[in-house]
Amino acid sequence: MGAAVAKAKEDIAAAPGTLAEARLAVAAHAVLHWDRSAGGWDAEATCDNRSLLSAVDEILDLKETHAFPMASPARRRMDGALGVAMSRLMDEFLLLRVWDTSQLEGRHGLHAAAERLLSVSIGPGGSGVCLAFPTGGSTSTGELSVNTTGELRASSTSLSSWPDVLGVFVDGEFSEDLDLICPASLPPVLHEIALRVIRAGYTNELLQTFAKAPCDVVDRFLSILQLDWPFFAANRVDFEDAEWWTAEDMVKRWTLATKLVGKALVVMQRQLQAQKCGAFDSFKDDYFMAIAKQAILVLLKFADGFTSTRSPEKLIYVLELYETLSNSAPSLLPLFTGHHAELISRQVPLVLAKLARASRAAAGGLVAMIRTGCSQQAASEALGVGVHPLARHAMACVELLAPHRSTMDLILANGGGAPDGGAEGVTSFGSLVSELVAGLERNLEEKYAGGSPWRHLFLANNVGFVLSRAADAGVASLLGDEWVARRRSRLEQHAVCYVRASWGPVVACLETAAVGGGKPARALAKFNAAFEKAHAGNVCSEVPDPALRAALRKAVSEMVVPAYSAFLQKHPRLGKSVRCTADDLAESLSELFEGDASDVKKS
């Protein structure tokens, strides 16, 4: 605008001395040399210096009365002065405080409450609730990092619980009682500016100005995202390499900001439409939609930053983004009409489609990771016979995904099986879980080759764990009775094979006296040695599931104790060779499968 102002000053200096030209010179001088610090619209939208408006009116009167012939120097000077005058008015419009954030301020304001909600949920440094698939604070085993400090359970305060919390928060505090429009003196100001813009024929320029119009209410909620706005506006942001806690922080902030912006825009539109702004009434829709469009495009651009991820660990983030945007779209789209509606109606489905594609790819990556995860070191050497970390990881993922089963069904069904790097044949959440478990089972079976008793105990532990977690996550019924029955049968087979392989040889020591005619005392000694060895090996073996642990103890006891009791009854003259009674034997077997707890009991 500086060059236009300088040119206008030169034209005024060269103006001839007619009355109309003199009027133009005075008005143009007032426009060109107008200093906002000397007056304008104050914070209450009250005009305390009408010199600018008077000068604009003078120029418009000259224009409307055709004071100067077309193509004349005076006409060019008038047009130049009018352009500067309109630029001044639009600058004044951009400085107007249309939207009021005073009720969002302070400790008890909505924005402060939103930040408190975030700080409670995320915690200092983003170290609060673990939303992501478990990868951190862990021990790495090959390609997969798995938590070894406890069972990975879906958190009861994960982001999927936010809609209820946030619904109470928003509905309780963000309503029509929250006045977002500035004082009643604002509508006349908007009328005065719009009236002169219309008279000057600068309506297109005003519409373009709307794209730069600030909105403190929307900006306040977008500030929850804590982004570097100049960088964010100028670049495509890719969150693929974000640390897990950083990504969680960003997703929670985006979810909250999206919900609050959506609520705010609905109230803002209603309150703006209720204002009587005279000539500005014909611009209200365009003005509001320009503000709303900028806000929605910021939110969409943020969500788009997650669409390039293929990382299984970020699947839960992408699903949260998809669900929030999908749920918000029905209330956001009706805010727009005309070309604004066309733009937003294209962009929202586009981002949703990209999020869905990223979700399918991440789901496929998760299946592949479970199929091939962990090192090839023998599980018996690394982890004993307990629940393998890979099983814990897989079922923790299932539990985290379970609340999103409807979304997963929609996304996977529309994927056609295995596009976008997805898993072959995965067309629903149920089939995804089935593939995860099948891949897990194949992987674990490879950890123990052969038919040792430890292999059967290991597989029994892990099959039982999968069944238990599937039931807890509510997906066992989704997979069907046949799926559950097959794994229960497999669990029973592994339990039977373990008991036979581990304790069958112990009982066989007693049978040698009857079958081979050996001495009973020697057979008993051989039995005692075999029993002690088997007991020592099994008492520290952990079976974490109480039901499976009790069933295995019962099976072992039913195999060993009756055979031992019968042997003692058959050979009553063993005397001092008998080191324990059948009851003592049963008591000893009740200590099996305690893991580390057995050492605590002994101490």
Side-chain angles (χ1 to χ4, degrees):
M1 191 182 84
V5 171
K7 182 65 168 61
K9 288 182 178 180
E10 294 174 3
D11 291 342
I12 291 171
T18 66
L19 178 59
E21 290 171 338
R23 290 171 57 196
L24 173 62
V26 171
H29 183 273
V31 168
L32 294 171
H33 295 276
W34 184 77
D35 184 1
R36 194 175 195 282
S37 62
W41 285 281
D42 60 19
E44 297 300 317
T46 300
C47 186
D48 54 12
N49 187 337
R50 298 189 64 86
S51 62
L52 176 62
L53 293 180
S54 297
V56 173
D57 288 341
E58 184 75 348
I59 297 171
L60 287 173
D61 286 341
L62 292 171
K63 176 178 181 294
E64 291 167 349
T65 58
H66 306 288
F68 307 111
M70 295 293 292
S72 67
R75 178 59 180 258
R76 289 195 295 272
R77 291 195 296 272
M78 182 190 72
D79 290 340
L82 183 60
V84 174
M86 290 298 103
S87 179
R88 299 284 200 207
L89 279 184
M90 291 177 197
D91 287 343
E92 286 300 303
F93 171 78
L94 293 177
L95 293 172
L96 281 176
R97 186 165 166 260
V98 178
W99 303 101
D100 183 13
T101 62
S102 61
Q103 295 186 45
L104 307 180
E105 303 288 352
R107 177 174 176 81
H108 301 291
L110 183 60
H111 181 262
E115 284 296 335
R116 291 199 300 275
L117 179 62
L118 282 166
S119 66
V120 169
S121 179
I122 298 171
S127 59
V129 174
C130 178
L131 169 69
F133 291 160
T135 58
S138 59
T139 299
S140 180
T141 316
E143 301 102 346
L144 177 66
S145 294
V146 288
N147 191 303
T148 60
T149 60
E151 295 182 5
L152 297 168
R153 304 297 299 277
S155 171
S156 60
T157 53
S158 68
L159 192 57
S160 56
S161 67
W162 271 45
D164 292 337
V165 175
L166 197 57
V168 173
F169 172 69
V170 172
D171 294 339
E173 297 189 43
F174 199 38
S175 65
E176 289 291 347
D177 295 333
L178 192 63
D179 294 325
L180 300 179
I181 294 284
C182 273
S185 55
L186 178 68
V189 176
L190 295 175
H191 166 73
E192 291 196 46
I193 293 176
L195 181 63
R196 288 163 177 81
V197 168
I198 293 172
R199 288 175 62 191
Y202 273 70
T203 57
N204 287 335
E205 287 75 5
L206 181 59
L207 293 177
Q208 294 171 9
T209 301
F210 289 159
K212 299 179 289 184
C215 178
D216 292 343
V217 172
V218 170
D219 290 346
R220 186 58 50 90
F221 291 133
L222 289 178
S223 69
I224 292 172
L225 297 176
Q226 295 185 345
L227 293 175
D228 180 351
W229 290 109
F231 178 83
F232 184 75
N235 298 274
R236 185 187 186 280
V237 180
D238 189 342
F239 299 124
E240 168 66 17
D241 296 325
E243 294 292 337
W244 77 264
W245 64 264
T246 303
E248 179 183 2
D249 183 17
M250 290 188 293
V251 170
K252 286 190 174 186
R253 289 181 175 278
W254 181 88
T255 299
L256 181 57
T258 300
K259 290 175 180 290
L260 291 178
V261 167
K263 291 280 186 179
L265 288 175
V266 171
V267 175
M268 287 166 57
Q269 185 183 50
R270 196 175 297 129
Q271 292 184 2
L272 180 62
Q273 291 300 330
Q275 299 292 317
K276 303 299 181 184
C277 301
F280 192 77
D281 283 345
S282 61
F283 295 103
K284 285 193 297 190
D285 284 341
D286 289 295
Y287 168 60
F288 171 78
M289 285 189 287
I291 291 174
K293 183 186 76 172
Q294 292 301 317
I296 300 306
L297 290 180
V298 167
L299 294 170
L300 290 177
K301 184 175 182 180
F302 185 97
D304 189 63
F306 279 86
T307 59
S308 63
T309 184
R310 298 297 183 266
S311 170
E313 286 80 8
K314 292 188 173 67
L315 173 57
I316 196 73
Y317 304 142
V318 181
L319 287 174
E320 292 288 355
L321 292 167
Y322 182 95
E323 288 177 343
T324 300
L325 182 57
S326 180
N327 293 335
S328 300
S331 61
L332 294 176
L333 294 178
L335 298 175
F336 300 94
T337 60
H339 69 280
H340 293 293
E342 294 177 4
L343 174 63
I344 300 300
S345 295
R346 286 196 309 269
Q347 290 299 315
V348 170
L350 177 62
V351 174
L352 284 172
K354 293 171 72 176
L355 289 170
R357 185 164 61 247
S359 297
R360 289 190 292 270
L366 178 60
V367 171
M369 183 175 67
I370 296 301
R371 285 173 177 169
T372 60
C374 295
S375 71
Q376 296 306 310
Q377 183 181 12
S380 58
E381 296 175 9
L383 298 164
V385 297
V387 177
H388 198 284
L390 182 62
R392 297 184 185 276
H393 180 89
M395 297 315 293
C397 293
V398 170
E399 289 181 333
L400 283 169
L401 291 173
H404 308 279
R405 66 185 64 179
S406 297
T407 302
M408 292 292 292
D409 284 341
L410 177 64
I411 289 174
L412 295 173
N414 291 337
D420 314 318
E424 185 69 35
V426 173
T427 58
S428 67
F429 176 67
S431 61
L432 174 63
V433 175
S434 182
E435 282 296 316
L436 282 174
V437 173
L440 170 67
E441 291 171 339
R442 286 192 295 270
N443 195 333
L444 295 182
E445 286 172 1
E446 293 174 0
K447 305 305 176 190
Y448 269 102
S452 72
W454 306 120
R455 176 179 188 271
H456 292 297
L457 185 57
F458 170 76
L459 293 176
N461 263 328
N462 284 275
V463 172
F465 177 82
V466 168
L467 277 170
S468 174
R469 287 294 179 266
D472 290 347
V475 300
S477 58
L478 184 68
L479 296 171
D481 294 340
E482 184 180 349
W483 185 91
V484 174
R486 282 201 306 270
R487 276 149 188 85
R488 288 199 182 281
S489 175
R490 194 172 300 167
L491 172 59
E492 293 170 359
Q493 289 173 5
H494 286 306
V496 169
C497 289
Y498 157 75
V499 172
R500 289 176 178 171
S502 185
W503 295 95
V506 176
V507 175
C509 294
L510 298 174
E511 297 171 353
T512 58
V515 176
K519 294 182 178 181
R522 183 176 297 178
L524 181 59
K526 189 175 181 182
F527 169 84
N528 288 335
F531 180 88
E532 289 177 1
K533 181 178 180 182
H535 182 273
N538 284 274
V539 72
C540 293
S541 298
E542 183 181 10
V543 177
D545 180 56
L548 178 58
R549 185 166 63 245
L552 286 172
R553 285 173 176 171
K554 181 181 178 182
V556 172
S557 183
E558 288 177 347
M559 171 178 278
V560 176
V561 175
Y564 182 73
S565 179
F567 181 84
L568 294 183
Q569 291 176 7
K570 187 175 181 179
H571 305 284
R573 298 181 181 179
L574 287 171
K576 293 182 180 181
S577 298
V578 179
R579 295 162 55 180
C580 63
T581 66
D583 289 340
D584 294 334
L585 206 66
E587 179 65 24
S588 180
L589 291 174
S590 69
E591 300 172 354
L592 297 179
F593 315 122
E594 289 287 351
D596 294 337
S598 64
D599 294 332
V600 175
K601 287 183 178 181
K602 291 176 183 178
S603 63

